[in-house]
Amino acid sequence: MTACAIEPSADPGNSGAPRAGCSITAAGAYGARLARSGQDGDSWYPERWTLDGPEPYAVPLPGNQPEEAGTEVQPMGDGRVLVHRVAAGRHVFALLYPTGPGTGELPLGAVENPPDGAGLRLLPPAPGGDRAYALAAGPRSTVLWEVAGGAFGPERVVEIPGRCSGGVWLDRAGRMLAVDRETGGRTKAVVLDLERGGEVSPLLQIAADSDDRLLLADPDSGLVLIGSDAPSPGRERLGWGVLGSTLPVRFPECLRMPDCVVTPFAIQPGQVLTPERCAVALRVDGAFGSWVGVWRPAERQVRHLPAPEGWLTGAGLWTPDGELRLPCSTPQSPCGVARLAVPDAGDTGTRATVEDPEGPADAEDAEDAEDAEGPGNAEESAPDESGGPGGTDPSTRASTPARPCPVPLQQAPLARLVTK
C-alpha cells in the first residue's frame, strides 16, 4: 500500500462520516456513482453499475450538461438512477435511464431550499428499491421527504423536532427508519414508522448524558453497529448490539483505533439466529490511506486487508455465504468487483480474486469486550482510561445478572418487525 496522507471527504449531513464512492441498492443488484469525464477529468456524469449478473458492467448516463461535483446519485430497484441536483436555491430530482445511444430523463419535481438554510441529502437506498427518501435538517427541526416513488413528485412525510442525521433501515419492508436526532445538546437514535405517518419513538439510549448513534443494521439477524461516547465520555467508541435483545451494548477493545476513522459499511445477511457470527466490513481511514477491516462479534480481533486497486472507497456488500464484494474502477478495468472470501472464526485463510499488495499489519489480540448498560448503570460498566472496567468490583459484576430494565434497543416496538 502506498504511503500517503489522506483527508477523507465527509458527508456533513451524516455526522461527518466519510462519503462512499458508490451507492448500492439494498438488494445489491445495481450501483450508481459520479464518474469523471473530459480530457482533464474535471467534469462529472452519472454512471450505473449492474452487479447481479455474471460480470459487472457500467452504463454511462450523461445528461445535456455535466453534473456538479456535489450532485447525489442513487440506484433504484428497476435500474434507473435517481439524481439530486441543487440549482437556483432548489433541490431538483430526476430519474435517468439509458435510451439507446442517449440518456432519458424523467423529472420528478423539486423541493425549495428552506429559508433557515437547512441542507438536504438522500438517505441510503430503501429496501424494495421503488422509493427514495431525503432528510432536510434545519437547526430546530428536520423534514423527511419522499422524493421518488410517490404519485405527485416529492412529498413531505413528517417534520421531526430536532436536527437529524444518519439514516439506517431496520427492516426489509422499508417501513422502519432509524435516524440520529440531536436535541438539548445530546444525540440519540430514534425510529420513524413510515406506515404511521413517520411516528417517532425512542430507539437507543445507553446513558442519559451520552451521544448514541446508530451506524448500521442487518434486518435478518438484528445486529446493529453503534457509535457512542458512553464508555469513554467525549470520545466516540464503536459498539454492537442486537435489536430485541435484553443484553447491553458491547464495545470491543479491538474496534478501538485511536489514530483511524473506522466506518462500518456492510453486514453479512442471512444469519437469522446467529448475529454474533455476522461478518462486518469496516472502512478504515488512517495516515497511510484507506483499507478494509473485517470483524465478527464472536471474534476478538479485526482482520485488516489491503484495499483492492481502484476500490470505490467505502462501498461494498456481503453475500449470505460470506463473500465480500467491493466495486473497483481502474483505467485497465473501469468496472470491476473484487471478491474477498473471508472465512469464519477458526479458519485463518483469506481468499481473494485480486492481487494483495502489502497492507497494514493485523491487529493485536483484543481484550474482552466491555459492556455499557442503560441509564443509571453506564458509569460503573464503562471502561476506565486503561481499557479495563472501572467502578465495580469484578466478583460483584460476575455474580450479578444483566438487568432487563432499562435496556438499550428496547425502547421501540421493533422486536416483532425486524427480529426473529
Side-chain angles (χ1 to χ4, degrees):
M1 180 177 295
T2 303
C4 60
I6 63 163
E7 294 183 2
S9 60
D11 182 349
N14 198 24
S15 302
R19 292 182 184 272
C22 179
S23 176
I24 302 176
T25 57
Y30 294 103
R33 66 162 185 154
L34 275 186
R36 290 183 181 271
S37 64
Q39 186 175 4
D40 298 326
D42 55 355
S43 58
W44 304 84
Y45 65 91
E47 187 176 71
R48 186 198 72 191
W49 287 35
T50 298
L51 301 171
D52 61 348
E55 296 291 338
Y57 65 92
V59 176
L61 296 171
N64 296 326
Q65 61 185 26
E67 303 289 349
E68 298 290 334
T71 297
E72 290 187 294
V73 295
Q74 185 174 115
M76 303 295 289
D78 59 5
R80 293 183 293 180
V81 171
L82 174 68
V83 60
H84 165 214
R85 307 178 178 113
V86 181
R90 305 169 75 222
H91 298 272
V92 183
F93 300 91
L95 289 172
L96 306 180
Y97 54 92
T99 57
T103 300
E105 181 167 331
L106 175 64
L108 297 177
V111 174
E112 296 293 334
N113 205 32
D116 59 5
L120 186 146
R121 64 177 181 85
L122 293 176
L123 289 174
D130 57 346
R131 298 178 182 273
Y133 296 86
L135 278 182
R140 290 174 296 276
S141 66
T142 299
V143 177
L144 175 67
W145 289 88
E146 182 181 337
V147 297
F152 305 103
E155 298 179 9
R156 185 187 180 107
V157 178
V158 64
E159 184 170 0
I160 311 152
R163 183 176 182 85
C164 295
S165 59
V168 177
W169 295 99
L170 300 179
D171 64 342
R172 297 211 178 276
R175 172 181 175 179
M176 309 301 285
L177 172 66
V179 297
D180 304 319
R181 181 173 67 174
E182 180 186 348
T183 56
R186 293 296 175 189
T187 300
K188 304 291 183 183
V190 298
V191 62
L192 312 180
D193 187 338
L194 301 189
E195 286 193 3
R196 295 186 176 182
E199 181 180 276
V200 181
S201 57
L203 175 64
L204 176 63
Q205 176 170 291
I206 298 177
D209 58 351
S210 62
D211 292 320
D212 309 314
R213 301 187 298 119
L214 189 66
L215 306 179
L216 202 62
D218 173 57
D220 295 334
S221 63
L223 177 67
V224 293
L225 275 295
I226 292 160
S228 174
D229 64 354
S232 303
R235 297 193 299 274
E236 184 174 275
R237 293 278 301 275
L238 191 62
W240 68 279
V242 179
L243 291 170
S245 172
T246 59
L247 296 177
V249 174
R250 301 179 70 83
F251 294 86
E253 186 68 19
C254 64
L255 296 180
R256 190 177 187 178
M257 305 180 201
D259 297 327
C260 298
V261 177
V262 183
T263 309
F265 65 89
I267 300 178
Q268 180 184 0
Q271 313 301 302
V272 177
L273 301 177
T274 54
E276 70 281 354
R277 301 187 74 85
C278 290
V280 179
L282 309 169
R283 168 181 176 171
V284 186
D285 294 295
F288 293 95
S290 301
W291 63 92
V292 180
V294 175
W295 168 80
R296 289 179 174 88
E299 298 180 0
R300 298 172 60 186
Q301 66 177 2
V302 175
R303 305 186 190 199
H304 294 270
L305 309 173
E309 183 181 1
W311 180 33
L312 303 182
T313 312
L317 66 144
W318 288 98
T319 63
D321 59 358
E323 182 180 73
L324 179 58
R325 298 181 178 179
L326 305 174
C328 305
S329 180
T330 66
Q332 296 75 28
S333 179
C335 178
V337 174
R339 302 170 185 264
L340 306 178
V342 182
D344 204 340
D347 185 349
T348 59
T350 301
R351 300 178 301 281
T353 60
V354 296
E355 182 178 355
D356 290 344
E358 183 179 356
D362 288 342
E364 297 179 358
D365 290 341
E367 299 178 5
D368 289 337
E370 300 130 3
D371 296 345
E373 299 187 2
N377 204 35
E379 182 178 353
E380 66 182 19
S381 62
D384 60 20
E385 294 301 318
S386 64
T392 305
D393 180 78
S395 61
T396 302
R397 290 187 295 107
S399 60
T400 303
R403 295 184 301 165
C405 183
V407 179
L409 307 180
Q410 282 291 89
Q411 299 184 31
L414 296 175
R416 69 181 183 277
L417 297 174
V418 297
T419 61
K420 298 293 184 180

